[in-house]
């Protein structure tokens, strides 16, 4: 009898665990799903429109987004918004998204949780707009190409949208950069029209449905990857903010095979080295000054700066064009007016408002380190960043420093252009510290002057 009761208890607990683990995915279904995959550059951008209905009894407060493990590891950004209002007054309110874990996820599926603004009651529907970005998800094939060869890449995904919910109706559109498609997996119904591949529509697909596809196509977009970027932002209350950026740049596309011919490269610009790049465009803040661009050898004169009231564009050219597997290191430095980026939040409190991310257009940064050097005497630094970063503090000594300057260090991996958003560094500062260095200089000159006078009036001659 006791054994039978124990068996029933174990069965009840196991059913309870299964129900609790499956509960986040129950009660919701996707009535309509549209997905657009943009493969026109080396950064994969995916846009999802999901119309979700609550078919359960309990109100829903979150929606799960499912990703295969291979994609989850390359996610740089996941954003979600909900449609608010109707027709002309329609707008989109951002929603909080965070990675989450679900027990017993099939096939190693990974999840992001989207928190709804208001609980979704039984029978109600809502429309979510989801945008996520994948980096290093295009695989060059062949892995090595000659100077005159185009660059071909593979992209792996699923014709069916991976989701923990039942999907009533769905379709996927894949946009590619050229008409040269070597092959693509066909999952009926599917067809190609110019530079677009369309999968679906598919009806009544159950949870975790998956149909792998491979697209092999030509993509000559420069695969510019900054392996490491270190930016130092030094604040001076005497009227300027000095910025210094150290770059380690690489071409992450198909590796160059054979000998590089500069004559062929210059004589056939449209057919030789089509996947290489020799120019980079950096978007700097407006009203920059004292701009320089150099590498380990010295200053590089092949650059052009254009400025206006809204932005500044620095067009730079490395010492040599970059082919697949080639690398380059260089430094960009400039100054900006203090009043454009430093503001007073309260008496004795100030904050720096600057842009995060890499200023070079359409690049991926494997590791970004930002060091904000505060004036000597600054206290209680704090940071506001709209995404998760690693934070730490350092101390730096410069000319005439006594206590040293506090350095706020921010680190983030897998940075994309969508991370170029403002961040703030708050700190407290007593203006009396601005007099420290001038008083030190005045005291030094006074002591030197006094020592020189004393030396002139002291008789050091030896007398008998």
């Amino acid at each position: 009898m006791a054994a039978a009761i124990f068996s029933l208890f174990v069965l009840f607990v196991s059913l309870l665990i299964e129900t609790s683990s499956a509960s986040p995915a129950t009660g919701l279904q996707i009535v309509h799903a549209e997905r657009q995959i943009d493969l026109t550059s080396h950064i994969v951008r995916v846009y999802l429109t999901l119309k979700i209905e609550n078919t359960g009894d309990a109100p829903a407060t979150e929606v799960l987004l499912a990703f295969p493990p291979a994609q989850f590891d390359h996610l740089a950004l996941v954003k979600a918004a909900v449609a608010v209002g109707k027709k002309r007054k329609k707008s989109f309110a951002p929603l909080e998204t965070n990675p989450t874990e679900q027990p017993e996820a099939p096939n190693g599926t990974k999840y992001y949780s989207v928190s709804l603004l208001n609980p979704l009651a039984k029978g109600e529907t809502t429309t979510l707009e989801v945008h996520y970005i994948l980096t290093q998800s295009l695989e060059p094939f062949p892995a090595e190409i000659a100077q005159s060869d185009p660059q071909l890449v593979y992209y792996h995904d699923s014709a069916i949208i991976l989701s923990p919910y039942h999907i009533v109706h769905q379709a996927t559109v894949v946009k590619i950069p050229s008409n040269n498609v070597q092959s693509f997996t066909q999952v009926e119904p599917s067809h190609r029209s110019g530079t677009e591949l369309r999968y679906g529509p598919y009806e009544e697909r159950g949870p975790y449905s998956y149909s792998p596809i491979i697209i092999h196509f030509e993509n000559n977009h420069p695969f510019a990857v900054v392996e490491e970027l270190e930016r130092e932002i030094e604040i001076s209350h005497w009227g300027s903010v000095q910025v210094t950026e150290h770059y380690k740049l690489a071409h992450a596309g198909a590796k160059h095979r054979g000998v590089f011919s500069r004559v062929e490269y210059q004589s056939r610009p449209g057919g030789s080295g089509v996947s290489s790049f020799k120019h980079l465009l950096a978007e700097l803040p407006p009203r920059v000054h004292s701009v320089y661009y150099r590498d380990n050898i010295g200053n590089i004169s092949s650059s052009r700066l254009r400025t206006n009231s809204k932005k500044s564009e620095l067009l730079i050219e490395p010492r040599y064009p970059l082919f697949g597997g080639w690398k380059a290191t260089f430094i960009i430095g400039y100054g900006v007016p203090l009043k454009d980026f430093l503001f007073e939040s309260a008496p004795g409190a100030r904050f720096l408002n600057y842009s995060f991310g890499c200023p070079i257009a359409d690049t991926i940064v494997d590791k970004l380190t930002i060091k904000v050097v505060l004036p000597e005497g600054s206290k209680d630094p704090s940071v506001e960043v709209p995404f998760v970063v690693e934070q730490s503090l350092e101390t730096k000594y410069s000319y005439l420093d006594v206590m040293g300057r506090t350095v706020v260090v921010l680190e983030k991996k897998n940075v994309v252009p969508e991370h170029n958003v403002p961040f703030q560094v708050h700190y407290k500062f007593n203006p009396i510290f601005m007099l420290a260095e001038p008083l030190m200089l005045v005291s030094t000159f006074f002591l030197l002057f006094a020592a020189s006078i004393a030396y002139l009036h002291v008789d050091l001659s030896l007398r008998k």
Side-chain angles (χ1 to χ4, degrees):
M1 183 65 179
I5 294 175
F6 179 77
S7 300
L8 290 174
F9 176 77
V10 171
L11 178 61
F12 173 78
V13 171
S14 63
L15 290 175
L16 181 62
I17 293 175
E18 290 179 4
T19 303
S20 62
S21 64
S23 59
T26 58
L28 295 179
Q29 74 170 356
I30 299 177
V31 180
H32 184 80
E34 291 184 1
R35 178 176 59 169
Q36 295 183 359
I37 304 176
D38 188 352
L39 304 180
T40 55
S41 74
H42 68 302
I43 303 174
V44 179
R45 294 177 170 88
V46 183
Y47 304 88
L48 267 175
T49 300
L50 304 175
K51 184 177 181 181
I52 300 172
E53 179 185 10
N54 186 1
T55 58
D57 296 327
T61 58
E62 67 172 4
V63 175
L64 294 179
L65 304 176
F67 299 92
Q71 281 193 356
F72 188 87
D73 296 337
H74 294 284
L75 281 173
L77 185 68
V78 179
K79 299 172 64 176
V82 63
V84 178
K86 296 181 179 180
K87 296 182 179 180
R88 294 183 179 181
K89 296 183 178 180
K90 185 178 180 180
S91 61
F92 292 92
L95 301 176
E96 183 180 356
T97 60
N98 293 296
T100 184
E101 294 184 359
Q102 299 295 327
E104 299 181 4
N107 301 320
T109 303
K110 304 292 185 179
Y111 301 90
Y112 263 78
S113 172
V114 180
S115 300
L116 300 178
L117 288 179
N118 301 303
L120 192 66
K122 179 181 180 179
E124 292 183 345
T125 62
T126 186
T127 301
L128 300 184
E129 298 290 341
V130 180
H131 173 42
Y132 62 89
I133 298 175
L134 301 169
T135 59
Q136 300 179 0
S137 296
L138 299 181
E139 177 186 355
F141 186 82
E144 295 183 356
I145 57 175
Q147 182 173 331
S148 58
D149 294 338
Q151 180 174 258
L152 303 176
V153 297
Y154 273 134
Y155 176 69
H156 301 257
D157 210 314
S158 171
I160 308 298
I161 300 174
L162 180 63
S163 175
Y165 310 112
H166 177 84
I167 303 180
V168 178
H169 179 91
Q170 64 174 296
T172 296
V173 176
V174 182
K175 188 176 181 180
I176 53 179
S178 70
N179 289 321
N180 184 7
V181 179
Q182 299 291 305
S183 63
F184 68 97
T185 306
Q186 298 191 26
V187 180
E188 296 300 332
S190 60
H191 68 276
R192 174 192 166 193
S193 177
T195 58
E196 286 189 354
L197 303 175
R198 185 172 183 86
Y199 287 92
Y202 302 114
E203 310 288 344
E204 304 295 343
R205 298 293 172 143
Y208 299 104
S209 296
Y210 196 82
S211 181
I213 59 172
I214 300 177
I215 306 173
H216 190 203
F217 61 99
E218 180 179 344
N219 187 340
N220 292 316
H221 192 280
F223 282 32
V225 175
V226 179
E227 296 180 335
E228 188 173 348
L229 169 57
E230 181 177 308
R231 175 190 299 144
E232 183 178 89
I233 305 173
E234 186 170 353
I235 302 173
S236 172
H237 284 170
W238 293 100
S240 180
V241 176
Q242 187 64 37
V243 181
T244 307
E245 299 176 340
H246 298 259
Y247 289 86
K248 293 183 180 179
L249 180 69
H251 190 311
K255 294 184 179 180
H256 177 70
R257 183 183 71 244
V259 180
F260 168 64
S261 173
R262 185 172 289 275
V263 175
E264 179 186 351
Y265 186 78
Q266 294 179 343
S267 61
R268 298 177 56 237
S272 177
V274 290
S275 63
S276 67
F277 58 91
K278 61 178 181 179
H279 296 99
L280 296 169
L281 181 63
E283 296 184 0
L284 306 180
R287 302 206 297 166
V288 296
H289 61 83
S290 307
V291 181
Y292 63 88
Y293 164 52
R294 61 181 174 85
D295 58 10
N296 294 331
I297 300 176
N299 186 60
I300 304 176
S301 58
S302 52
S303 61
R304 184 177 61 200
L305 177 66
R306 289 192 248 184
T307 61
N308 55 42
S309 59
K310 296 182 178 180
K311 64 179 180 179
S312 302
E313 293 183 343
L314 179 64
L315 185 65
I316 62 177
E317 181 178 340
R319 292 189 182 272
Y320 49 86
L322 264 67
F323 285 79
W326 293 14
K327 300 183 180 182
T329 58
F330 54 89
I331 300 173
I332 297 177
Y334 56 90
V336 291
L338 183 69
K339 64 180 182 180
D340 292 350
F341 299 95
L342 191 68
F343 306 93
E344 186 174 1
S345 57
R350 297 179 171 135
F351 70 93
L352 174 77
N353 185 69
Y354 209 81
S355 178
F356 202 89
C358 177
I360 298 180
D362 209 16
T363 56
I364 300 170
V365 182
D366 289 340
K367 180 182 179 182
L368 171 62
T369 303
I370 297 179
K371 296 184 177 182
V372 181
V373 183
L374 303 179
E376 189 176 27
S378 301
K379 297 181 180 179
D380 303 330
S382 62
V383 180
E384 290 184 11
V385 188
F387 35 78
V388 178
V389 297
E390 296 183 10
Q391 303 181 23
S392 61
L393 295 177
E394 296 179 354
T395 302
K396 177 182 178 180
Y397 289 89
S398 185
Y399 301 105
L400 302 177
D401 286 345
V402 177
M403 300 178 296
R405 304 185 183 190
T406 301
V407 181
V408 179
V409 182
L410 308 177
E411 292 186 359
K412 184 171 179 57
K413 297 181 179 179
N414 207 14
V415 177
V416 292
E418 282 74 6
H419 286 121
N420 291 353
V421 295
F423 75 100
Q424 295 78 37
V425 177
H426 296 259
Y427 63 95
K428 295 180 180 179
F429 182 79
N430 191 339
I432 196 66
F433 281 96
M434 295 183 65
L435 302 176
E437 293 183 0
L439 289 176
M440 189 178 300
L441 288 174
V442 170
S443 301
T444 302
F445 282 114
F446 176 78
L447 291 176
L448 290 175
F449 180 72
S452 62
I453 292 178
Y455 174 76
L456 292 175
H457 287 78
V458 173
D459 186 6
L460 299 179
S461 60
L462 298 176
R463 296 180 181 179
K464 295 182 179 179

